[in-house]
Amino acid sequence: MKYWVLCLLICMTCGCGGSDAPQTTVEQDVFAEVTGLGDTYADEKMFQDAFVSGAAPQNREDYGKYAYVIDGEAEIDGDQATVPVKIIGGIVSSQEGDSAAKKKAGEKTETKMTWKLQREGEEWKLKEAPLPG
């Protein structure tokens, strides 16, 4: 029993390994900014913060109508990035209620667009994120 207590004390003192969080790549940071945009549209400040200063579109609510999927490799050049994005419309959103849940699969649309991002400080932010139509 005393050996068990001794082992427990040693483990508590030393820890269970490194405390460093896993590092992400630049490409992963860029992709996270693109795919997370659909979650930010509901909050004005979060939506504004997702874009470089002055670049947030006025049609914020339209961004909640789509899902965003990375559709290829990002081209990263210094503090600029270009990302191919598949924009999927007709996605059922919990914000839209039961009527949206009744949409048929045939009403879903997919459009390929190119979005541009720019690094501000340590964060990647959207510079141009056009929607279909």
Side-chain angles (χ1 to χ4, degrees), residues 4 6 15-17 22-24 28 33 42 45 50 56-57 60 65 81-82 93 109 111-112 118 120-122 128 133:
W4 183 81
L6 180 61
C16 296
Q23 297 294 317
T24 58
Q28 288 171 327
E33 192 64 32
K45 181 170 177 10
R60 174 175 57 96
K65 298 176 184 176
T82 303
S93 167
T109 61
T111 306
K112 294 181 182 183
Q118 179 176 325
E120 281 189 345
E122 295 297 316
E128 295 176 19

Side-chain angles (χ1 to χ4, degrees), residues 17-90:
S19 61
D20 294 333
Q23 297 294 317
T24 58
T25 66
V26 171
E27 189 172 56
Q28 288 171 327
D29 292 341
V30 167
F31 287 170
E33 192 64 32
V34 170
T35 58
L37 185 62
D39 295 330
T40 66
Y41 85 94
D43 182 89
E44 176 72 31
K45 181 170 177 10
M46 286 176 57
F47 188 76
Q48 293 288 329
D49 288 345
F51 287 84
V52 295
S53 181
Q58 298 297 312
N59 59 336
R60 174 175 57 96
E61 292 80 17
D62 291 344
Y63 284 82
K65 298 176 184 176
Y66 300 96
Y68 308 101
V69 178
I70 305 303
D71 192 39
E73 299 293 320
E75 292 181 24
I76 300 170
D77 185 18
D79 290 341
Q80 306 289 321
T82 303
V83 180
V85 178
K86 185 186 303 180
I87 302 172
I88 305 169

